[in-house]
Amino acid sequence: MARELAAAVRTEPEVTDYQVYIGTAAPYNFNGLVRHYFLRRGPNVADIQVNLRPKHDRSAQSHDIARRIRPRIEDLAQRHGARVRSPRCRRARPCCRLW
């Protein structure tokens, strides 16, 4: 299922590449360190990190891209009985990381 979600993301024009971590947490970053994402593991856990084109090479901001992609991701997850979670920024908006 994680690969199917990643395949849906890669069709976006702003996406340059992505990494899928299945059964384990993605490598440390500040957000994951604060929220203890590094402790997550198991057959029902996956992280997908999406890398976007540089700001000067795209017109949309990362938050707008995440909001545009999220409904499609949620639909795919719902079909598989899964949940999609996004970290929240200070203003309670979804961040770039979609799940």
Side-chain angles (χ1 to χ4, degrees):
M1 188 190 101
R3 288 189 176 106
E4 186 177 344
L5 294 172
V9 169
R10 86 171 152 220
T11 62
E12 295 298 318
E14 298 91 351
V15 173
T16 58
D17 54 23
Y18 58 89
Q19 300 86 35
V20 180
Y21 300 92
I22 300 172
T24 187
Y28 285 84
N29 61 27
F30 180 74
N31 190 36
L33 188 62
V34 170
R35 297 173 188 270
H36 301 270
Y37 289 158
F38 60 91
L39 296 174
R40 297 187 310 178
R41 60 179 46 99
N44 62 333
V45 174
D47 276 348
I48 303 173
Q49 290 186 342
V50 178
N51 299 308
L52 303 175
R53 295 188 185 286
K55 290 182 200 179
H56 61 274
D57 289 345
R58 55 185 159 89
S59 58
Q61 292 185 356
S62 56
H63 283 81
D64 297 328
I65 296 166
R67 276 189 261 162
R68 185 179 72 220
I69 296 171
R70 188 171 176 92
R72 191 167 12 133
I73 298 302
E74 286 176 332
D75 287 344
L76 284 170
Q78 187 176 21
R79 277 191 258 150
H80 291 283
R83 287 183 303 159
V84 175
R85 295 163 80 181
S86 296
R88 298 288 170 188
C89 294
R90 283 171 271 161
R91 291 186 233 146
R93 295 186 338 187
C95 288
C96 306
R97 192 168 165 173
L98 296 171
W99 31 90

